[in-house]
Amino acid sequence: ANFHSNSSNKGGAIYSNAKLTVTQSNFEENKSGPGGAIYSSGMLKIKKSCFKSNASKGNGGAICDYSSDETIIGKTIFKSNS
């Protein structure tokens, strides 16, 4: 999936408080308070994805993860997030 130029108060493209799995997705130029592209407070798995030029006014230019559950990120590119 492609997520481009989305905005929100939390998680510019995705806000999740449950188990979230992201695979083969592109996140570009999304904007938010915390979590420029993704805000998560549940278990998070990301693989084979790309986060480019996402921006946050708070924590996590690309991802803000406020979970005590497991977070797994593999084979994923992060470039120019702020």
Side-chain angles (χ1 to χ4, degrees):
N2 293 307
F3 300 89
H4 188 269
S5 298
N6 298 289
S7 63
S8 178
N9 291 329
K10 289 183 179 178
I14 297 174
Y15 173 92
S16 176
N17 60 5
K19 181 179 177 181
L20 176 64
T21 300
V22 175
T23 305
Q24 295 181 332
S25 295
N26 295 304
F27 296 84
E28 188 170 354
E29 296 180 0
N30 297 288
K31 297 178 183 177
S32 182
I38 296 175
Y39 178 96
S40 174
S41 60
M43 185 173 155
L44 179 62
K45 292 182 181 182
I46 299 171
K47 60 184 177 179
K48 297 180 182 177
S49 295
C50 181
F51 293 81
K52 182 180 175 186
S53 301
N54 298 287
S56 170
K57 294 179 185 174
N59 296 324
I63 300 167
C64 185
D65 182 13
Y66 279 110
S67 173
S68 60
D69 292 326
E70 186 175 37
T71 298
I72 299 170
I73 300 174
K75 296 184 180 179
T76 295
I77 296 168
F78 294 89
K79 184 175 179 180
S80 301
N81 298 286
S82 60

